[in-house]
Amino acid sequence: QAPTMSSLLEIKSSVLRQVQVCPSFRRRTEEEPGSASADPQEPATGAWKPGDGVEFFTQMRLILKKEEGRRSLPCPEVLLRSSSPAPTEPVDPNRGLRALTQEEVEMLYEEALYTVLYRAGTMGPDQVDDQEALLSYLQQVFGTSPEEHAEAIERVKKAKAPTYALKVSVMRAKNLLAKDPNGFSDPYCMLGILSASGTPREPGPHKEQRFSFRKGAKRGSPQPAKSIQVTEVKSSTLNPVWKEHFVFEIEDVSTDQLHLDIWDHDDDVSLVEACRKLNEVIGLKGMGRYFKQIVKSARANGKAGPTEDHTDDFLGCLNIPIWEVPVAGEDRWFKLEPRSSASRVQGDCQLVLKLITTQRDTGMSQRGRSGFLSYLLLLSRLLQFEHRAEEPNSSSWRGELSAPAATVLCLHGAQSNLSALQLAVLLKMFLEGVLRACSGLGPAVRGSCPARELIWEEQVVCNTAQEESLADSFSAFSEFALRLLRQLRDYFPATNSTAIHRLELLLRCLDKLQLFQPSFEVCPFETELNTDITAALKRGNREWYDRLLNAKSPREQPGPQRLAGLVELVDAVYEDLQSCYSIYASLFHSIIKIDFFTLTFRQLERLVAEEVWVLTEDLSSKMTLEVASRLFELYLSLADIQRFWSSILGRDSRSLALVGIHAPFPAVKLWAAGAAGPAKWEVDTLEPMENSKHSSSVATASLCFSHIQKLWTCLACPDPVQAQGLGTQLSQDLCEAALFYTELLRKKVDTQPRASGEAVSEPLCVVLNNVELLRRAAGQALRGLAWPEGAAGLTGGLPRALLNCTQALDEDLQREACTVTAHLTSKMVGDVRKYVQHISLSPDSIQNDEAVAPLMKYLDEKLALLNALLEKENLNRVLEALWELLLQAILQALGTNLDVSADFYSRFHFTLEALVTFFHADGQGLPLENLRDGSYKRLEEELRLHKCSTRECIEQYYLDKLKQRSLEHNRCGRLSVRCYYEAAEQRLVVEVLHAADLLPLDANGLSDPFVIVELGPPHFFPLVHSQRTQVKSRTLHPVYDELFYFSVPAEVCRRRGACVLFTVMDHDWLSTNDFAGEAALGLGSIGGIVRPQVGGSTRTGQPITLHLRRPRAQVRSALRMLEGRTNREAQEFVKRLRELEKFMEADP
């Protein structure tokens, strides 16, 4: 009974338990004070001992290395690693061709000589045309002496020459002339042999003429043709297809010609009968005249009408010398020729021509040996000679015949009237004998098989005896081939290119064998050959698997001992399936149309699944962590097999026997419970590794996290529920381990001896680098733990629980990095303040760069050291912290030095710009936008204001009010006004219309608002006093509609900073008035100031809605600058504003 998931998840490996020796702060917060949980916990029974964590991850690393090679489909080039000789195929000396007697060898020798000496036709470009070379080659093949060779040639020359015949196949014609009114013709062919005596006459002086069967000849002219044949008439076509075959006897190969006419038939008379009557006149002269008369008589049923002319229309002719026909025959299109220069013809005609012998005066022919058998014996002799000639490279010989051997076989096959199909049959008959008798010749004979598909001719080419002989031969060969296929992996290993080529040749032979199967009356096969091949492959798969199982994981062994061998067996099956897919599958599918990969995969996958199901059931009650580790490796190998099937396009893994194999696998749950804890954390001495800036302990931790993520990816748990539970547990444990490691780092730093006066702590730099590397490694590992989940549970591509865990860990580690950075920079605070104070106390007589030089030298030394100790990310962290430290130090210096000279502030302004350049470092340091943000803006503003005069500060105060935007949206309400300038009276008119949504400042939830209207800055308008509206009681939406006039020149209103300021107050009878909000309106943009008004009144203009607000920090900064001034104008301005601030609440 397999343990339940809940109980398995409680099992923790010593790896995690060693992490729990010093639990993280997350766990400590959940424990009661004073509890004993801080003491080291003893490992549970069955857990790994303290040193086994390293061993665990060493084994996981080996598993990952194995998995890396299985991420993609293998390439054939990777598998075919060797071109060494292929394994030797089995030999059966009792089978094969019978050895010839000496007399039979001599007859075969004379048969070959006869073939060469009495050859006819034109040799091809790849054939040997030198007769002496062919005769010399045959002498070498049969091993005769020169004297014996000469005597044999003389005997053959005394023999009677063979009788030749021409096989003509009239296939089709195209693009003929249209002779009928319907735009077509009714073509037919007449063909025959012209002997030497029938050569056409020399052309006359006026018109060139050629011979034609249908043209009249003079009385007494010699016989022009023999055995005239005619094809059928093809009605109404210009592209007729006949496919009719004829044989003509040849008297003289060197002089005879094949003549063919194409005619357009004009009536329904039987041309075959007319031709038959014409051929009965053999022996008479004037064949042309008799032909014409007989044809006319046939049309008139024997009653020739002298007044009727039924002559057909001529469409073209051909004249082909017999000696031009190639030895191997030819299939060619011939262009039609006219019978005279006045004839008009067009089109082409396709003919298949082959020159054969019908009688041969040789010993083998006289003894009744057919050309079929003679060719087989000659083929055997030549192949064996060629094979011997290739030694010592005979194992790699692929059956390529030399040019003389191919020429001799071509001549003999053509003269024996053997078709291409019969030649292929003879090769296969030779296969059965030689393949079994001599394994070295097997690939050569297979390589000699024609590559193209052959189809049986319509006419019978083999008699019954030949078919029976072929049937026996094919049956024997098929049995032998099936035996080889059963032992496919032994005789044709996928890693040997030579063996794979042999397999390809064998499959091509079997493919050709299937073409003959339906064509025999005496069929040699009881079932379809493909069925036999499939059965042989299945049987071979099972035999191979059983041998592998008995060798690696015998069933007699106990379950735990079988486990390691079963892992090796599954790995061997996986590699075999890769070979099947990449090497064997394409050969079987392309040649004999068998899906070998699917057949093998389903069979082996089912056998493996059965074995695994039995073993896991046996081991469920014997589970230990060592067994779990092995079972986990087995699970990953099984998952690889399943994934390999799914990775092939169009494959559905739901039908596999391995589906659901994860369900009873306790090792997966057990591994997940303990994998998150790396080996015992032992923080090193915080010294950087060689060529690195972090210590070895974080490298080990990062490697462990990477292993966890990669192994989880390999696990690919298909059950979403189980994957979520395991993934959640892994992610939580991984986070705890990461945080616990940072806690150990802090403790290690605290115990480190501190060097006095050391501004940059090297151990702290190592700790900071360790934290950053751990943050990246843990984040990557956590993102790799994603499990399948519904779309609703995914956030940013990750399950929500995993995303929350990842973000929380990242925030914790970022915070930890900031804490370490603060510790690192805190050691520099005193020095930085000392050098900033040096700048502030430097006399005005020295130059700015001299005053800043000590600070810059100090920073240059420290940052050079930090650059050597810190990673880029951490260096930026320290630079940002140090930059903020410098800004605060300068601000503090400015705050303690009030009402000093302008040179003082100019020096600090120079210092600030020098520091920006230093920290930016031409783009290698901090970005300018980061440097000139936050505290920098405040400091720059203060420096700028300190350099300004009192009036310039006052103007800046009003400019800041104009730039201020309402950040509270409508929190303080809105005020509607209308402003314009009356140029005729030189006065500014301000109309306060109404307000809305004011703040309730009284206890009754309402207010008593009034509006103060004043112009600023005061030194722009020294004679103008502020004015105020009436108080509107108990309302938040007062309506005023009051006009105020200010006599001011237009030029002053156009000055930068000139504005009208509206302050809304809440009137209280018994206490001071409350501030409700303010708004400023620049005078430079109102009507009459921008452009003078031309007639009419501006009161019809649109009102302006102003959003009320409270003064912001940038407004008060100018006020602070004025507070430090001792002159009267500054003090009066500050005093007046202070009175207004009494009514305001403190701005947050």
Side-chain angles (χ1 to χ4, degrees):
Q1 184 71 24
T4 62
M5 181 175 177
S6 59
S7 62
L8 285 170
L9 289 177
E10 294 173 358
I11 302 177
K12 302 288 183 179
S13 69
S14 66
V15 179
L16 185 58
R17 293 191 180 280
Q18 290 167 48
V19 175
Q20 294 171 340
V21 169
C22 298
S24 64
F25 67 90
R26 285 184 172 178
R27 289 186 176 180
R28 282 206 298 266
T29 57
E30 299 172 0
E31 297 171 351
E32 295 293 334
S35 64
S37 60
D39 298 331
Q41 300 183 19
E42 291 296 326
T45 304
W48 276 328
K49 298 302 183 291
D52 290 342
V54 175
E55 185 178 320
F56 172 81
F57 277 96
T58 300
Q59 185 176 0
M60 294 299 104
R61 193 156 46 243
L62 295 176
I63 295 175
L64 283 175
K65 186 176 181 181
K66 180 176 67 175
E67 292 294 319
E68 286 178 359
R70 300 181 176 182
R71 294 299 94 193
S72 59
L73 295 178
C75 300
E77 294 78 7
V78 177
L79 293 173
L80 293 174
R81 298 184 295 268
S82 172
S83 58
S84 58
T88 304
E89 297 174 6
V91 175
D92 186 359
N94 297 323
R95 301 298 297 261
L97 296 176
R98 176 182 60 83
L100 299 180
T101 63
Q102 183 60 33
E103 180 182 6
E104 290 174 329
V105 171
E106 292 177 356
M107 287 194 300
L108 183 61
Y109 183 32
E110 291 182 1
E111 177 77 18
L113 294 176
Y114 188 89
T115 299
V116 173
L117 290 172
Y118 291 102
R119 62 176 181 169
T122 303
M123 306 299 289
D126 298 331
Q127 296 172 331
V128 179
D129 197 17
D130 187 355
Q131 180 173 290
E132 291 300 326
L134 295 176
L135 295 176
S136 176
Y137 172 75
L138 290 177
Q139 179 186 358
Q140 298 175 30
V141 171
F142 287 89
T144 60
S145 63
E147 295 78 11
E148 294 173 341
H149 181 63
E151 291 177 2
I153 290 177
E154 287 302 322
R155 287 197 303 271
V156 172
K157 288 183 177 180
K158 293 178 181 179
K160 182 180 178 182
T163 301
Y164 281 96
L166 180 67
K167 292 181 66 177
V168 182
S169 296
V170 183
M171 306 304 293
R172 58 180 59 82
K174 62 181 179 181
N175 301 328
L176 299 179
L177 277 177
K179 293 292 186 178
D180 295 340
N182 60 1
F184 294 99
S185 295
D186 304 318
Y188 65 93
C189 297
M190 296 186 69
L191 62 160
I193 300 297
L194 289 179
S195 61
S197 57
T199 304
R201 297 193 303 269
E202 292 296 328
H206 302 292
K207 187 164 65 173
E208 179 186 359
Q209 294 191 355
R210 296 187 180 182
F211 178 83
S212 175
F213 290 132
R214 298 297 304 274
K215 187 176 63 174
K218 292 185 179 180
R219 185 183 300 273
S221 62
Q223 177 180 342
K226 299 176 294 184
S227 302
I228 299 173
Q229 302 288 342
V230 64
T231 66
E232 294 182 356
V233 176
K234 299 297 180 181
S235 302
S236 301
T237 180
L238 301 179
N239 300 286
V241 177
W242 290 290
K243 292 186 179 181
E244 298 187 31
H245 311 283
F246 308 96
V247 178
F248 297 97
E249 186 177 336
I250 305 300
E251 289 183 0
D252 190 345
V253 175
S254 60
T255 59
D256 285 356
Q257 294 187 19
L258 169 67
H259 182 82
L260 178 142
D261 284 345
I262 300 182
W263 297 85
D264 172 38
H265 184 52
D266 287 335
D267 53 29
D268 298 330
V269 70
S270 173
L271 289 174
V272 177
E273 182 65 20
C275 185
R276 185 186 62 77
K277 293 182 178 180
L278 181 61
N279 284 325
E280 291 175 356
V281 199
I282 294 177
L284 299 178
K285 296 183 180 181
M287 183 63 67
R289 182 181 73 250
Y290 285 101
F291 175 82
K292 183 175 181 179
Q293 291 177 357
I294 292 174
V295 171
K296 287 184 177 182
S297 175
R299 290 199 186 108
N301 293 324
K303 299 177 181 179
T307 60
E308 295 182 61
D309 186 7
H310 298 279
T311 304
D312 294 341
D313 295 320
F314 179 74
L315 296 178
C317 66
L318 295 173
N319 287 288
I320 304 172
I322 301 302
W323 65 269
E324 291 184 358
V325 177
V327 170
E330 67 175 337
D331 183 348
R332 176 182 162 192
W333 284 89
F334 295 88
K335 186 173 183 60
L336 295 177
E337 302 172 354
R339 62 183 176 184
S340 66
S341 58
S343 301
R344 178 173 172 268
V345 299
Q346 69 178 34
D348 302 273
C349 183
Q350 182 188 8
L351 301 179
V352 179
L353 306 177
K354 186 174 183 181
L355 199 58
I356 64 174
T357 59
T358 56
Q359 293 182 5
R360 297 169 64 85
D361 187 14
T362 63
M364 300 196 76
S365 299
Q366 293 171 1
R367 295 197 178 189
R369 302 288 181 88
S370 64
F372 193 86
L373 179 58
S374 300
Y375 184 90
L376 177 62
L377 297 175
L378 183 60
L379 170 66
S380 172
R381 192 79 180 190
L382 293 180
L383 278 175
Q384 292 183 32
F385 174 78
E386 294 284 328
H387 179 253
R388 290 195 302 270
E390 288 291 330
E391 292 180 350
N393 299 320
S394 59
S395 61
S396 60
W397 183 54
R398 297 184 176 181
E400 300 89 351
L401 292 174
S402 63
T407 303
V408 171
L409 288 175
C410 179
L411 288 171
H412 191 275
Q415 294 177 17
S416 300
N417 192 20
L418 297 179
S419 65
L421 181 61
Q422 290 175 306
L423 295 177
V425 169
L426 287 168
L427 280 176
K428 296 188 183 302
M429 290 184 64
F430 182 62
L431 256 176
E432 187 275 332
V434 178
L435 187 63
R436 290 189 165 215
C438 180
S439 63
L441 260 180
V445 177
R446 296 178 204 145
S448 301
C449 294
R452 66 181 184 276
E453 292 188 359
L454 302 174
I455 303 175
W456 284 89
E457 300 176 0
E458 296 179 2
Q459 298 178 353
V460 178
V461 296
C462 293
N463 54 37
T464 303
Q466 290 175 341
E467 286 198 3
E468 291 177 351
S469 176
L470 283 175
D472 293 339
S473 175
F474 290 169
S475 295
F477 170 69
S478 63
E479 291 176 3
F480 182 70
L482 294 177
R483 175 185 170 189
L484 292 179
L485 292 180
R486 281 199 303 271
Q487 297 174 275
L488 176 73
R489 297 164 181 83
D490 299 327
Y491 293 123
F492 309 107
T495 56
N496 189 287
S497 56
T498 306
I500 294 303
H501 181 73
R502 287 189 176 187
L503 174 63
E504 180 182 1
L505 298 178
L506 177 63
L507 295 178
R508 293 193 182 281
C509 290
L510 289 173
D511 178 48
K512 299 303 182 291
L513 202 62
Q514 291 184 95
L515 299 176
F516 303 135
Q517 181 172 347
S519 305
F520 283 114
E521 294 182 4
V522 183
C523 183
F525 310 114
E526 296 180 0
T527 59
E528 291 289 336
L529 185 57
N530 263 21
T531 304
D532 294 337
I533 295 174
T534 302
L537 292 173
K538 288 184 177 180
R539 180 179 172 185
N541 290 337
R542 183 58 190 255
E543 292 173 352
W544 174 81
Y545 177 81
D546 289 341
R547 291 198 307 269
L548 195 65
L549 180 64
N550 293 331
K552 295 185 177 297
S553 182
R555 292 190 175 97
E556 298 79 15
Q557 292 181 348
Q561 296 181 18
R562 291 190 59 202
L563 188 53
L566 190 59
V567 172
E568 295 180 7
L569 181 142
V570 174
D571 289 341
V573 168
Y574 181 85
E575 293 177 1
D576 183 73
L577 293 176
Q578 285 188 315
S579 301
C580 290
Y581 178 79
S582 301
I583 304 298
Y584 298 129
S586 58
L587 292 178
F588 279 90
H589 184 269
S590 62
I591 298 175
I592 56 177
K593 305 300 183 293
I594 290 180
D595 191 354
F596 177 65
F597 173 73
T598 301
L599 179 149
T600 303
F601 187 97
R602 290 194 175 278
Q603 185 179 7
L604 294 181
E605 181 259 351
R606 184 180 65 256
L607 293 173
V608 167
E610 292 173 356
E611 203 68 31
V612 170
W613 282 100
V614 173
L615 183 63
T616 53
E617 184 178 356
D618 179 47
L619 293 176
S620 60
S621 59
K622 308 172 184 178
M623 189 59 58
T624 64
L625 290 175
E626 182 180 0
V627 172
S629 176
R630 281 293 184 184
L631 274 175
F632 179 70
E633 183 179 2
L634 175 61
Y635 174 83
L636 291 182
S637 297
L638 295 174
D640 287 335
I641 292 179
Q642 195 170 0
R643 192 182 303 112
F644 181 57
W645 175 267
S646 303
S647 63
I648 303 173
L649 188 63
R651 307 282 183 173
D652 186 2
S653 62
R654 290 176 295 182
S655 60
L656 299 180
L658 287 174
V659 171
I661 197 70
H662 64 282
F665 241 84
V668 176
K669 309 179 184 71
L670 189 59
W671 173 85
K680 181 180 179 181
W681 295 117
E682 292 182 358
V683 179
D684 44 36
T685 57
L686 297 181
E687 295 180 356
M689 300 169 58
E690 185 178 358
N691 299 324
S692 179
K693 297 181 180 180
H694 50 73
S695 64
S696 59
S697 61
V698 74
T700 303
S702 301
L703 184 62
C704 293
F705 291 160
S706 175
H707 286 171
I708 292 173
Q709 183 264 320
K710 292 180 180 178
L711 288 169
W712 175 263
T713 303
C714 297
L715 182 64
C717 186
D719 185 0
V721 177
Q722 185 182 13
Q724 181 177 1
L726 297 177
T728 302
Q729 174 194 336
L730 274 177
S731 60
Q732 292 175 352
D733 291 342
L734 191 148
C735 290
E736 291 180 1
L739 293 175
F740 173 68
Y741 176 74
T742 60
E743 185 177 347
L744 292 181
L745 287 176
R746 288 200 303 272
K747 292 180 179 180
K748 188 71 175 181
V749 171
D750 293 339
T751 59
Q752 289 280 332
R754 299 182 181 180
S756 59
E758 184 183 22
V760 176
S761 172
E762 182 176 352
L764 275 179
C765 292
V766 174
V767 168
L768 187 57
N769 291 330
N770 286 1
V771 171
E772 175 60 23
L773 180 59
L774 183 73
R775 184 185 70 84
R776 294 199 304 264
Q780 182 177 358
L782 285 172
R783 288 188 294 273
L785 294 181
W787 55 81
E789 191 169 291
L794 292 177
T795 305
L798 293 177
R800 184 173 290 107
L802 182 59
L803 181 64
N804 295 337
C805 184
T806 304
Q807 292 175 344
L809 178 63
D810 188 75
E811 292 172 0
D812 289 343
L813 295 181
Q814 289 277 17
R815 192 180 304 110
E816 185 70 21
C818 292
T819 302
V820 177
T821 302
H823 281 300
L824 191 59
T825 55
S826 65
K827 298 179 179 295
M828 304 171 65
V829 172
D831 294 336
V832 168
R833 289 178 178 174
K834 179 182 68 174
Y835 287 110
V836 170
Q837 185 179 11
H838 170 77
I839 296 174
S840 65
L841 297 178
S842 298
D844 297 340
S845 58
I846 68 172
Q847 298 294 325
N848 291 337
D849 53 353
E850 294 181 12
V852 179
L855 174 62
M856 304 304 290
K857 181 180 179 182
Y858 171 80
L859 292 176
D860 185 64
E861 292 176 354
K862 300 309 175 185
L863 292 182
L865 181 59
L866 289 171
N867 183 52
L869 295 177
L870 293 175
E871 298 287 352
K872 177 66 176 177
E873 296 82 358
N874 292 326
L875 180 62
N876 288 338
R877 282 195 181 99
V878 174
L879 286 176
E880 291 173 355
L882 186 57
W883 176 247
E884 185 65 24
L885 175 63
L886 283 166
L887 295 178
Q888 294 300 328
I890 296 175
L891 283 170
Q892 184 179 2
L894 294 179
T896 57
N897 294 273
L898 299 176
D899 198 21
V900 293
S901 66
D903 292 338
F904 176 87
Y905 299 108
S906 297
R907 175 166 295 170
F908 271 106
H909 190 273
F910 174 84
T911 302
L912 182 61
E913 293 305 316
L915 289 174
V916 168
T917 304
F918 180 83
F919 276 80
H920 181 57
D922 295 328
Q924 301 301 315
L926 296 178
L928 287 176
E929 55 270 19
N930 293 356
L931 291 170
R932 292 174 174 168
D933 197 10
S935 299
Y936 172 86
K937 291 183 177 180
R938 176 187 170 191
L939 176 58
E940 185 184 40
E941 181 67 14
E942 295 220 3
L943 288 173
R944 185 181 65 82
L945 292 175
H946 276 301
K947 293 191 300 182
C948 296
S949 65
T950 298
R951 290 193 171 185
E952 288 175 340
C953 286
I954 294 174
E955 292 174 14
Q956 184 63 44
Y957 173 82
Y958 284 97
L959 284 173
D960 290 341
K961 283 187 176 294
L962 290 174
K963 294 177 182 177
Q964 187 178 353
R965 296 289 182 265
S966 176
L967 301 180
E968 300 89 355
H969 302 289
N970 293 331
R971 177 184 169 189
C972 295
R974 302 179 302 279
L975 179 66
S976 295
V977 300
R978 182 186 289 115
C979 294
Y980 53 91
Y981 186 79
E982 294 180 346
E985 287 78 12
Q986 290 191 345
R987 64 182 181 180
L988 176 68
V989 180
V990 178
E991 184 178 359
V992 180
L993 301 176
H994 55 83
D997 299 328
L998 299 180
L999 292 175
L1001 298 176
D1002 292 340
N1004 59 5
L1006 299 173
S1007 292
D1008 303 316
F1010 65 95
V1011 181
I1012 300 174
V1013 183
E1014 58 182 337
L1015 302 183
H1019 58 273
F1020 282 6
F1021 311 100
L1023 302 178
V1024 178
H1025 301 285
S1026 63
Q1027 303 183 52
R1028 55 184 290 179
T1029 66
Q1030 296 180 0
V1031 177
K1032 301 296 181 181
S1033 301
R1034 295 187 298 279
T1035 179
L1036 299 179
H1037 308 280
V1039 177
Y1040 299 104
D1041 287 332
E1042 297 184 33
L1043 280 172
F1044 302 96
Y1045 299 96
F1046 299 92
S1047 298
V1048 294
E1051 292 76 11
V1052 178
C1053 294
R1054 295 190 182 97
R1055 294 182 63 177
R1056 181 173 177 267
C1059 64
V1060 54
L1061 185 64
F1062 301 93
T1063 305
V1064 180
M1065 305 291 290
D1066 173 43
H1067 179 70
D1068 287 332
W1069 297 97
L1070 301 179
S1071 62
T1072 58
N1073 298 330
D1074 298 324
F1075 177 81
E1078 68 176 10
L1081 177 65
L1083 296 179
S1085 60
I1086 66 176
I1089 298 296
V1090 179
R1091 54 184 180 276
Q1093 298 294 325
V1094 182
S1097 175
T1098 58
R1099 293 192 62 182
T1100 58
Q1102 293 295 327
I1104 300 174
T1105 300
L1106 301 175
H1107 292 276
L1108 300 176
R1109 58 188 178 271
R1110 294 172 178 269
R1112 306 304 298 175
Q1114 65 267 29
V1115 177
R1116 292 200 298 267
S1117 63
L1119 183 60
R1120 284 195 298 268
M1121 294 300 103
L1122 293 171
E1123 288 176 349
R1125 306 287 174 94
T1126 57
N1127 58 75
R1128 179 180 178 182
E1129 186 177 12
Q1131 292 299 317
E1132 289 181 354
F1133 183 80
V1134 171
K1135 180 180 179 181
R1136 188 168 62 87
L1137 293 181
R1138 287 302 180 192
E1139 292 176 357
L1140 180 62
E1141 282 188 350
K1142 293 179 181 179
F1143 308 123
M1144 301 183 188
E1145 297 177 355
D1147 196 26

